[in-house]
């Protein structure tokens, strides 16, 4: 089975029906199930989209009027999913894009953090090595002082060096330095150099440690964003997969009901054709009777020497302006041609559906004679009334899907209760299917009420 694409789910109405937009084109762009980074805040646009989709689904149900409730629901489900899938897929793609970007940022930060941690380790090692060198230099100074003391006592310059809190303090004293030996000067210079290196390494270590702490905090935040984005992407993808599963189920139902739907449509067409043939036969009989009556009257007038009577039938119902009584309720499905969304061909909805609730009285649209009243397949409980010649044409009305009858034969007057609104036959809800037939052919009831 080949089902139509989303853009063709709701086709333009032909002839007397206005065009209906396809099921929520904007919805395919803006619909994002659930929440997450890719979801926009709902607003007036979203409400308008929902109203448009509801309206389009209602139009789809009109196209399937008379179809079984299961098949109507399955196709409405298929149509809704077809329209939701592009938006859901777009949301899933966007969520995956957000996830990829967040993960890339998290990975970049992880690399930067690793490099900074290595730099911190190197800085810590540099400080340790410098401190070890300074310890060795101080030890050398101590050894020199001990040796000098054993020989001649500690030189004044060396005593000053050992007593200085900072090697730079001693190095700044030219007099003290000049009094030291070359070996002593070399040891002191090494100690002063190591101190400078230690201070530089300590400063860098402090900066690197702060950088590591900042990167750790940022990396944790980016990792949280990436994790949330991954969860959102998984949720969006799950929604897409759920929609696909729903679509497949709807398609399976539609495919399994194809033959049943064809049989129903064939039956409905046969019932409509039968009703039309019956009303045409009645019209032909009335025409023949009227012509015979006029011929007899003309012959009688000629025999008596009187003028021929008017050609207007004395049996014609009085024309009260050509307006029939409007059935109670709101229009739930109008008259007109429409594309059957499953069988893919044009068909006529031969009447106007009015919904007012089960049990609502159904009244005769005008004076007339009941042609038939009983159960008739897809029409359910239906009453057909012949109104004779109206506006110069033979006209009849039909009232289908009634739950029960008030009268089943004889003459009726305009506004007389003939039955009660129901949902019999091929109906999925309480309404009356009202037809106006001119010479047996269905015509737009709104032109008569």
């Amino acid at each position: 089975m080949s089902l139509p694409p989303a853009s063709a789910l709701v086709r333009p109405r032909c002839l007397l029906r206005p065009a209906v937009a396809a099921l929520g084109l904007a919805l395919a762009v803006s619909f994002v199930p659930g929440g997450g980074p890719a979801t926009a805040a709902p607003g007036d646009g979203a409400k308008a989209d929902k109203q448009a989709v509801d309206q389009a689904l209602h139009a789809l149900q009109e196209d399937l009027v008379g179809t079984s409730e299961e098949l109507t629901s399955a196709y409405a489900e298929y149509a809704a999913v077809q329209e939701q899938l592009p938006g859901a897929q777009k949301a899933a793609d966007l969520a995956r894009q957000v996830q990829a970007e967040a993960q890339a940022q998290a990975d970049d930060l992880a690399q930067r953090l690793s490099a900074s941690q290595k730099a911190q380790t190197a800085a810590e090692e540099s400080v340790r090595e410098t401190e070890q060198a300074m310890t060795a230099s101080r030890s050398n100074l101590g050894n020199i002082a001990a040796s000098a003391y054993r020989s001649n006592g500690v030189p004044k310059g060396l005593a000053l060096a050992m007593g200085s809190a900072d090697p730079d303090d001693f190095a700044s004293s030219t007099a003290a330095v000049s009094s030291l030996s070359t070996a002593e000067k070399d040891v002191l210079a090494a100690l002063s150099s190591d101190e400078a290196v230690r201070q530089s390494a300590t400063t860098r270590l402090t900066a690197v440690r702060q950088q590591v702490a900042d990167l750790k905090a940022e990396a944790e935040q980016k990792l949280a964003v990436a994790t949330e984005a991954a969860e959102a992407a998984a949720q969006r993808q799950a929604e897409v997969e759920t929609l696909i599963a729903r679509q497949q189920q709807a398609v399976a139902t539609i495919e399994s009901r194809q033959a049943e739907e064809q049989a129903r449509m064939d039956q409905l067409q046969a019932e409509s054709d039968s009703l039309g043939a019956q009303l045409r036969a009645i019209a032909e009989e009335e025409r023949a009777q009227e012509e015979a009556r006029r011929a007899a009257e003309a012959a009688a007038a000629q025999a008596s020497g009187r003028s021929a009577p008017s050609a207007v039938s004395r049996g014609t119902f009085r024309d009260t302006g050509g307006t029939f009584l409007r059935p109670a309720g709101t229009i739930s499905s109008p008259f007109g041609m429409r594309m059957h969304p499953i069988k893919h061909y044009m068909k006529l909805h031969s009447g106007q559906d009015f919904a007012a609730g089960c049990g609502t009285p159904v009244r005769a649209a005008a004076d007339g004679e009941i042609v038939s009243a009983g159960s008739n397949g897809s029409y359910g409980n239906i009453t057909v009334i012949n109104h004779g010649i109206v506006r110069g044409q033979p006209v009849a009305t039909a009232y289908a899907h009634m739950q029960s009858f008030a009268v089943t034969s004889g003459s009726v007057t305009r506004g007389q209760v003939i039955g009660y609104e129901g949902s019999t036959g091929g109906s999925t809800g309480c309404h009356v299917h009202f037809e106006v037939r001119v010479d047996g052919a269905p015509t737009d009831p709104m032109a008569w009420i």
Side-chain angles (χ1 to χ4, degrees), residues 156-209:
K156 180 179 180 181
L158 186 58
L160 286 173
M162 295 182 64
S164 298
D166 191 317
D168 290 339
D169 293 340
F170 175 78
S172 64
S173 175
T174 304
V177 171
S178 63
S179 67
L180 295 176
S181 67
T182 300
E184 292 168 348
K185 288 179 182 179
D186 290 342
V187 172
L188 184 60
L191 182 61
S192 178
S193 175
D194 289 342
E195 175 62 19
V197 172
R198 186 189 68 81
Q199 289 181 356
S200 176
T202 302
T203 300
R204 173 166 171 72
L205 177 58
T206 301
V208 170
R209 282 174 173 168

Side-chain angles (χ1 to χ4, degrees), residues 212-339:
V212 167
D214 293 343
L215 285 175
K216 277 185 176 179
E218 188 176 359
E220 289 174 357
Q221 188 269 334
K222 291 297 183 184
L223 182 59
V225 170
T227 301
E228 182 181 353
E231 293 173 353
Q235 183 179 351
R236 296 292 86 76
Q237 184 59 36
E239 287 162 356
V240 169
E241 292 171 359
T242 297
L243 285 173
I244 291 174
R246 285 170 51 192
Q247 182 187 60
Q248 290 173 343
Q249 180 59 46
V251 169
T253 299
I254 293 169
E255 289 178 340
S256 68
R257 295 290 185 271
Q258 283 277 38
E260 174 187 307
E261 176 66 2
Q262 186 62 57
R264 182 199 68 81
M265 293 177 64
D266 292 344
Q267 179 188 13
L268 185 59
Q269 187 62 53
E271 290 165 356
S272 179
D273 292 345
S274 176
L275 177 58
Q278 180 185 14
L279 293 175
R280 282 192 297 274
I282 292 173
E284 288 298 324
E285 182 179 353
E286 287 182 340
R287 286 193 189 97
Q289 290 176 352
E290 182 65 13
E291 289 174 0
R293 183 190 62 76
R294 286 203 303 267
E297 288 183 350
Q302 184 178 11
S304 62
R306 293 180 287 107
S307 59
S310 169
V312 177
S313 170
R314 288 177 296 182
T316 299
F317 290 103
R318 186 175 184 81
D319 190 345
T320 58
T323 301
F324 286 171
L325 183 67
R326 186 185 190 278
T330 58
I331 296 175
S332 58
S333 185
F335 171 90
M337 297 297 294
R338 61 196 64 179
M339 174 68 75

Side-chain angles (χ1 to χ4, degrees), residues 349-425:
H349 181 231
S350 57
Q352 193 99 356
D353 291 349
F354 294 88
C358 284
T360 300
V362 177
R363 302 177 184 276
D367 295 351
E369 192 81 19
I370 293 179
V371 174
S372 62
S375 179
N376 185 11
S378 295
Y379 277 119
N381 291 333
I382 180 173
T383 294
V384 181
I385 300 175
N386 178 31
H387 301 287
I389 305 300
V390 181
R391 301 181 191 174
Q393 304 174 93
V395 179
T397 54
Y399 314 77
H401 306 308
M402 293 191 296
Q403 69 177 15
S404 60
F405 303 98
V407 291
T408 56
S409 62
S411 298
V412 294
T413 59
R414 175 187 173 93
Q416 180 179 342
V417 177
I418 60 172
Y420 302 92
E421 191 171 309
S423 186
T424 56

